[in-house]
Amino acid sequence: LEHTLSINQNGALKLAEQANLEAAKLNKQISIAILNNSGVVILLLKGDTVGPHNTEASRRKAYTALSTKTPSFILMQKAAANPTAQNLNTLPELLLLGGGVPIWKDGVLVGSIGISGGGSGENDHNIAQKAAENLGFNTQQ
């Protein structure tokens, strides 16, 4: 039986709320993108003081995490360490910067979240991961 479990609008709003709470702990405002399991944008929020480029960066981080089923921060580290993976940077939709994480529920990939504007890729990654975990999701299969 095909799993059709996917993040819905209500779930996306809750994730965004958690992401903003985590960012506030770092005294940061962030842009947030949340995709469903097909890679469709369900929610896209620009942070109040965040540069406009971060909105698209958030979406691409979320897409990268969903498409590769890997947090974009880990993908970035792998690409930096492995010359054969560096070509991932040339794919127009992928963005190898920290802040995108896949979202798993009961072993099913249900969507992803992308964060930008948190001050560093590591901050963005931690905000995204904590937002998902706070709601009982996993960021690894």
Side-chain angles (χ1 to χ4, degrees):
L1 192 65
E2 185 74 20
H3 280 289
T4 54
L5 198 61
S6 184
I7 297 249
N8 60 16
Q9 188 185 77
N10 188 42
L13 289 167
K14 288 178 180 171
L15 276 165
E17 182 181 39
Q18 288 300 316
N20 276 323
L21 288 171
E22 291 298 334
K25 293 178 187 176
L26 302 173
N27 204 24
K28 296 287 183 187
Q29 295 195 344
I30 51 168
S31 291
I32 306 164
I34 298 169
L35 309 186
N36 71 7
N37 62 0
S38 300
V40 175
V41 175
I42 299 185
L43 179 144
L44 193 58
L45 285 173
K46 182 196 168 296
D48 293 340
T49 60
V50 177
H53 67 283
N54 284 293
T55 311
E56 176 64 7
S58 297
R59 186 195 67 78
R60 287 178 59 195
K61 289 176 184 185
Y63 180 83
T64 299
L66 183 83
S67 182
T68 63
K69 300 179 180 177
T70 307
S72 56
F73 189 68
I74 291 170
L75 211 60
M76 174 190 76
Q77 290 173 323
K78 283 183 178 171
N82 181 352
T84 62
Q86 286 172 1
N87 284 338
L88 285 170
N89 269 322
T90 64
L91 291 168
E93 280 295 299
L94 297 187
L95 188 59
L96 303 192
L97 293 174
V101 299
I103 298 175
W104 301 86
K105 187 70 181 172
D106 301 325
V108 178
L109 184 64
V110 296
S112 63
I113 182 170
I115 303 295
S116 289
S120 71
E122 196 164 1
N123 281 356
D124 291 343
H125 170 77
N126 289 334
I127 291 165
Q129 186 164 309
K130 286 175 184 169
E133 289 172 352
N134 288 351
L135 295 176
F137 293 108
N138 298 314
T139 57
Q140 296 177 38
Q141 194 170 10

